Amino acid sequence: MLCVIIPSPQKLTVTSYGMAPQVILVTGCSSGIGLSTAQRLAQDPDQRYLVIATVIAIAEKTELVAAVGDAIDKTIFIKEMDITKDEDITRVVDDVMKTHGGIDILINVAGVAGIGLPERASRARIDRIFNVNAIGTIRLTLAVLPHMKQKKAGKIISVSSLAGKQGFPYAEFYTASKFALEGFFESLLCTVRSFNIRICMIEPTQVKTGLLQWALSETDGLSKDDTVHEIDRRQMRCFCDHMAAFPSMSVDDVVDVLMTKCVEVDDPVFRHLVVSTEDKEALGEAVADLTGEKSIASLRKMIGAM
């Protein structure tokens, strides 16, 4: 068995299997799912992965550095990248290609939440949601894609949401951005499988992260705002109660699916719903209804509407 060679930033590791590790670029690593994914990959006991973990600003790397410990600059390297800036995408992708020779897996996690009254959303807020959740993710994918096509291999894994499959009240722009992501990758998948490139979508229900707490706080605040129409206030109270009572997935639940169903599988399927069996069955019934009325009925029940 070969010994493990600890890499400098310019060299690849040789694992105990005698093969170079897979180079994995991960976005959104300052917290939540992105941080936990980067940590899991970097601390793989067999050192099968070399992780390029990106954060929107280097100042936001503190929690990630603490989580990965001694793996820093060995099996994980942290880079600053704002996926809404083309120059950042080009800089990071070019640097990874030059330093490590390629990107085997791209994991798109970076995202922002959006909840509230749609008519009160500013243009800047709408642009931000779409630029991060859809356009930035797509632009990064397009930057990596030519290299994967050239070597006829690769995986692109994106964290979407159950909201990419079904609408959600008072989260119209967030949901629309996830629908856009799903449509783009489903269309892209049809062509890139001919290049041996696999695409996966991770679609969790609500996850216990800071984003969930923010959404609950925002909804609760609006439900008590006298400038909001009484009907909306009542529906928001119901929606907030529903979210608070609904069983949430842990970050580890999501990362487990990402690893075991996508990263560690040679030919993973496209969609991976991270929901309970009961919710999966209910969603299946709603999607099967071509009129869309079953889905709308379940959502209106969520907000206490008749």
Side-chain angles (χ1 to χ4, degrees):
M1 181 176 290
L2 294 177
C3 64
V4 174
I5 301 174
I6 302 301
S8 71
Q10 300 296 321
K11 297 179 181 178
L12 295 181
T13 309
V14 176
T15 70
S16 59
Y17 296 115
M19 297 179 63
Q22 295 183 83
V23 178
I24 304 182
L25 176 60
V26 188
T27 69
C29 296
S30 61
S31 63
I33 296 170
L35 186 152
S36 294
T37 298
Q39 179 184 18
R40 183 84 63 92
L41 293 165
Q43 295 179 340
D44 178 67
D46 296 313
Q47 294 190 322
R48 293 172 294 171
Y49 312 111
L50 189 68
V51 187
I52 313 301
T54 69
V55 294
I56 193 170
I58 287 298
E60 297 187 7
K61 72 176 184 178
T62 305
E63 190 175 346
L64 176 59
V65 170
V68 300
D70 292 342
I72 283 288
D73 295 333
K74 296 176 183 177
T75 56
I76 184 169
F77 303 92
I78 301 174
K79 292 188 179 295
E80 183 177 273
M81 181 174 69
D82 181 344
I83 62 170
T84 68
K85 297 178 179 178
D86 284 354
E87 59 271 24
D88 277 20
I89 291 174
T90 299
R91 172 179 50 79
V92 170
V93 171
D94 286 353
D95 181 67
V96 175
M97 295 301 301
K98 179 180 178 181
T99 304
H100 303 292
I103 296 171
D104 298 296
I105 302 176
L106 169 62
I107 303 180
N108 295 305
V109 183
V112 293
I115 199 161
L117 288 172
E119 64 269 28
R120 289 193 179 186
S122 68
R123 176 59 185 266
R125 180 61 179 160
I126 297 169
D127 286 349
R128 177 66 178 166
I129 292 170
F130 275 89
N131 284 337
V132 175
N133 292 356
I135 297 171
T137 298
I138 291 169
R139 292 291 296 161
L140 176 58
T141 297
L142 297 180
V144 171
L145 192 59
H147 307 292
M148 291 185 173
K149 281 187 170 183
Q150 183 66 33
K151 67 179 181 180
K152 292 185 173 64
K155 289 180 187 174
I156 301 168
I157 303 166
S158 298
V159 176
S160 178
S161 170
L162 180 58
K165 294 286 293 178
Q166 184 180 42
F168 275 86
Y170 302 111
E172 289 85 357
F173 302 115
Y174 174 80
T175 302
S177 70
K178 292 299 185 179
F179 266 59
L181 204 62
E182 295 269 350
F184 171 78
F185 280 113
E186 183 169 348
S187 301
L188 182 65
L189 170 64
C190 298
T191 63
V192 300
R193 275 197 182 177
S194 302
F195 292 86
N196 193 34
I197 298 170
R198 309 298 291 200
I199 294 178
C200 297
M201 305 301 291
I202 306 296
E203 302 165 332
T205 184
Q206 65 184 36
V207 183
K208 296 174 186 176
T209 66
L211 290 180
L212 175 59
Q213 295 306 311
W214 174 86
L216 287 169
S217 177
E218 285 291 301
T219 308
D220 181 61
L222 285 167
S223 73
K224 299 171 182 176
D225 185 344
D226 289 340
T227 67
V228 175
H229 195 286
E230 189 279 328
I231 293 175
D232 278 319
R233 293 204 309 272
R234 171 172 50 81
Q235 293 184 156
M236 282 186 167
R237 284 193 295 271
C238 289
F239 186 47
C240 193
D241 290 344
H242 174 85
M243 286 196 297
F246 192 83
S248 299
M249 296 285 175
S250 72
V251 168
D252 285 340
D253 290 332
V254 179
V255 178
D256 284 344
V257 171
L258 189 153
M259 290 294 299
T260 61
K261 302 295 186 181
C262 300
V263 173
E264 297 173 351
V265 177
D266 289 336
D267 298 313
V269 299
F270 177 51
R271 284 196 169 96
H272 302 268
L273 276 169
V274 190
V275 298
S276 68
T277 300
E278 180 180 348
D279 289 330
K280 190 175 292 187
E281 291 175 352
L283 179 62
E285 290 181 7
V287 171
D289 173 24
L290 297 182
T291 70
E293 288 300 318
K294 284 188 177 180
S295 179
I296 298 301
S298 68
L299 295 172
R300 284 180 57 76
K301 182 178 179 180
M302 188 185 300
I303 59 173
M306 302 301 293

